Amino acid sequence: MSYRADITIVGAGVIGLAIASQVVGKGREVYLLEKNESFGQEQSTRNSQVIHAGIYYEKDSLKARLCRESNRLLYQICEQNGIAYRKCGKIIVATNDAEVQALEKLYVRGRDNGVPLKMLSRREMGQLEPNLRGMAAFLSPTSGIVDSYGLMCYFLGRARGNGAQIAYKTEVIGIEGVSGGCKVRVRDPGGDFSFMTRVVINCAGLHSHRVAAMAGIDINKASYKQHWYKGEYYSVSGGKNKLINRLIYAVPMGIGVGVHVCFDIDWRLRLGPLSYYVDEISYKVDDSRKKVLLASSIVQALPFIGPSDLDPETSGIMSMLQGKGEGFRDFVIRHEYDRGLPGFISLIGIDSPGLTASPAIAGYVAHLVDEILGSGV
Ligand SMILES: Cc1cc2nc3c(=O)[nH]c(=O)nc-3n(C[C@H](O)[C@H](O)[C@H](O)COP(=O)(O)OP(=O)(O)OC[C@H]3O[C@@H](n4cnc5c(N)ncnc54)[C@H](O)[C@@H]3O)c2cc1C
């Protein structure tokens, strides 16, 4: 063992890349280690690409704060750096009495979180979205979409440009807290080796609870056990993309933000995610679940979508702290000094709105790093 880095980041998803772009500089040796052949191959490119406004999350939670802060930041970053985005707004729509009640509560929560929202009359709904059907709805004008790959390329370029090094096909397989930081064991195509680093930032997404366990954290005691929540998307064909003007969401009646209609930068429509917990990582879309989607509230709100318009497209798996039947869980972003790991920072349960919140999460982590290393290092 010989090399000593200042900062080692585990995982090159949008979070690891955003963090690398913020902590680099000040003469620091920064390494970003990624087990896959390239960056962003897991959650960060398998999502809805929605820029959330901060509506859904408990007041004063990290999710609410960092999402709201990032909503503004992300539009700025996109505008200034030529990253494709659309500030198209979104409508959340209720199609029955129970959903109307839930919609009203959601509206209050969003307003409490400081998100600009507008309750729509039937007439306003018809003017904005003539093809939408529902009993009640509100508009979130600051929601939008971003090209997540373009965003990651921007973070990567900034990190590299300022001296960070990225190693692909390099898996972290062991971490040990030692005096002055951590000893990190990695496996790359050339074999296994170890090095010393003053700071480790664990943003390993679906595997970050495992990386925490590697470092000796009791993940049951710490409540770090992540669940995997798979979401399947269907493409909507037949020129139906001309029939809506903004993102349309059903009222969430369970976990997550609910099924929605979203589109990418090229205005290709997708319906989903149809979500359920899984024990293994497979991105195959189970076509037999299409009937569940067809019976869902979002299809009732958009009656122009018929069975023949829907084709299985893609899926993503989210790292969630919230298990089946459990309540809201916030992002965990924590310096683990009191667990005998000075210099080790955990990011656990970075589920939605992680893509949106990535710039603000990076700022939050950069502050923790400055506390550990001193802002001049
Ligand atoms: C279906 C779905 C829809 C979503 N929709 C939205 C949305 O519309 N808007 C929004 O804001 N958010 C959304 N999200 C959430 C968002 O995508 C995630 O919060 C975000 O991508 C998390 O990024 P990450 O970098 O933490 O994880 P990841 O992108 O999963 O990156 C983690 C990286 O760590 C690497 N890694 C793991 N273990 C190791 C190891 N031991 N050694 C080295 N490398 C390792 C992995 O290979 C991976 O590349 C959605 C997520 C899903 C799944």
Side-chain angles (χ1 to χ4, degrees):
M1 180 182 58
S2 56
Y3 199 78
R4 187 182 171 109
D6 292 308
I7 302 170
T8 301
I9 300 168
V10 188
V14 71
I15 301 296
L17 293 164
I19 292 171
S21 76
Q22 288 234 11
V23 299
V24 72
K26 303 177 188 175
R28 293 166 172 169
E29 293 273 358
V30 178
Y31 287 86
L32 183 50
L33 309 181
E34 169 54 54
K35 68 178 170 52
N36 293 331
E37 289 187 352
S38 187
F39 61 88
Q41 294 190 338
E42 302 202 348
Q43 296 175 89
S44 298
T45 40
R46 294 179 163 276
N47 57 53
S48 301
Q49 304 197 103
V50 171
I51 301 179
H52 287 294
I55 301 167
Y56 302 94
Y57 322 107
E58 277 187 5
K59 191 167 162 48
D60 298 328
S61 61
L62 279 179
K63 282 184 178 173
R65 269 174 47 203
L66 299 176
C67 182
R68 204 182 48 234
E69 185 184 330
S70 262
N71 177 278
R72 185 182 45 79
L73 272 175
L74 205 50
Y75 285 119
Q76 244 172 42
I77 291 173
C78 290
E79 188 58 37
Q80 290 168 2
N81 298 284
I83 302 161
Y85 75 99
R86 281 180 206 260
K87 195 173 183 176
C88 50
K90 90 173 177 191
I91 288 180
I92 305 185
V93 62
T95 55
N96 58 44
D97 290 336
E99 286 178 7
V100 171
Q101 279 187 18
L103 183 88
E104 283 162 1
K105 281 193 188 142
L106 191 62
Y107 179 78
V108 172
R109 169 170 286 184
R111 293 291 292 255
D112 280 353
N113 283 342
V115 179
L117 298 175
K118 184 180 184 326
M119 199 53 95
L120 299 174
S121 66
R122 287 281 178 96
R123 196 169 63 86
E124 288 168 325
M125 199 166 113
Q127 280 166 348
L128 293 175
E129 295 291 346
N131 298 301
L132 181 63
R133 301 285 170 268
M135 289 173 63
F138 67 76
L139 171 72
S140 164
T142 57
S143 302
I145 51 165
V146 60
D147 168 12
S148 59
Y149 183 77
L151 180 66
M152 285 192 280
C153 289
Y154 161 73
F155 288 138
L156 177 63
R158 243 187 93 182
R160 269 193 176 142
N162 288 306
Q165 311 230 25
I166 181 159
Y168 296 119
K169 297 191 201 169
T170 304
E171 182 173 3
V172 171
I173 54 169
I175 296 173
E176 189 188 332
V178 292
S179 157
C182 294
K183 181 175 150 189
V184 178
R185 185 153 191 80
V186 299
R187 177 164 297 155
D188 73 5
D192 296 0
F193 62 97
S194 301
F195 65 93
M196 286 281 296
T197 179
R198 296 172 71 189
V199 172
V200 173
I201 304 171
N202 168 17
C203 34
L206 295 168
H207 310 278
S208 59
H209 58 300
R210 292 178 172 163
V211 173
M214 270 178 211
I217 295 175
D218 180 336
I219 58 167
N220 291 320
K221 218 163 147 189
S223 283
Y224 283 1
K225 172 91 185 66
Q226 295 187 131
H227 306 273
W228 290 342
Y229 197 53
K230 179 171 179 177
E232 298 178 335
Y233 293 90
Y234 286 73
S235 61
V236 184
S237 58
K240 303 288 166 82
N241 55 349
K242 296 185 190 76
L243 299 179
I244 59 165
N245 305 306
R246 44 186 67 70
L247 301 161
I248 309 286
Y249 276 58
V251 183
M253 299 301 280
I255 290 165
V257 295
V259 183
H260 48 269
V261 172
C262 57
F263 33 80
D264 59 19
I265 295 297
D266 301 321
W267 215 258
R268 281 185 310 129
L269 275 197
R270 287 199 294 165
L271 194 56
L274 195 58
S275 298
Y276 53 102
Y277 286 96
V278 293
D279 293 325
E280 59 181 43
I281 295 179
S282 153
Y283 294 111
K284 191 174 171 304
V285 177
D286 175 6
D287 197 13
S288 69
R289 296 173 60 84
K290 185 164 143 180
K291 52 185 181 301
V292 180
L293 197 57
L294 285 165
S296 69
S297 299
I298 194 71
V299 175
Q300 286 169 36
L302 299 164
F304 57 84
I305 297 179
S308 59
D309 299 323
L310 294 178
D311 289 306
E313 197 198 75
T314 179
S315 73
I317 300 175
M318 198 145 42
S319 50
M320 303 258 294
L321 281 170
Q322 185 179 0
K324 218 180 211 162
E326 293 173 3
F328 173 81
R329 291 290 304 271
D330 203 0
F331 292 151
V332 172
I333 307 176
R334 189 174 192 278
H335 181 200
E336 307 283 9
Y337 62 94
D338 56 349
R339 293 197 165 108
L341 289 166
F344 187 91
I345 298 172
S346 295
L347 285 94
I348 314 280
I350 310 297
D351 56 20
S352 186
L355 174 69
T356 308
S358 55
I361 290 176
Y364 190 95
V365 171
H367 186 70
L368 295 180
V369 170
D370 283 348
E371 282 177 357
I372 299 167
L373 292 182
S375 51
V377 184

